[in-house]
Amino acid sequence: RGVWRPGETAHLRALVRDHSDQVPATVPLRWRIRRPDWKVWREEIATTLASGDLLLDLPLPDDAPTGRWQVELTLPGDDQVLG
């Protein structure tokens, strides 16, 4: 069994830090979710919290393909993956 199944909600969390491991000012970031065939399935823009957390509740459709999905974080308008 995978971590999530189609029809469930994935709860994603990222901890954002700068080069000196400090919490940066709030910043918008783009979640990019790729299906197992590497096609972009969804993108969401979210702003970090004052604590540096970035949260996304992601409802998975009942017909979501199973396999290895990938989540990337980028700056909006930039394709360089931050994490």
Side-chain angles (χ1 to χ4, degrees):
R1 164 164 170 26
V3 177
W4 294 287
R5 291 185 178 175
E8 295 181 341
T9 298
H11 305 284
L12 306 178
R13 179 181 182 201
L15 300 175
V16 180
R17 301 292 182 261
D18 64 15
H19 291 96
S20 60
D21 203 30
Q22 300 299 311
V23 176
T26 58
V27 61
L29 293 172
R30 176 177 54 190
W31 293 97
R32 179 182 291 145
I33 296 93
R34 294 184 183 271
R35 304 182 318 198
D37 62 5
W38 286 83
K39 292 184 180 178
V40 174
W41 174 69
R42 188 168 175 179
E43 292 183 338
E44 295 280 334
I45 303 292
T47 301
T48 57
L49 303 174
S51 61
D53 292 308
L54 188 67
L55 307 171
L56 178 65
D57 290 330
L58 185 65
L60 301 173
D62 292 334
D63 63 348
T66 57
R68 184 174 179 229
W69 289 62
Q70 183 173 335
V71 177
E72 302 168 346
L73 285 176
T74 67
L75 291 170
D78 188 349
D79 285 333
Q80 181 178 353
V81 177
L82 302 173

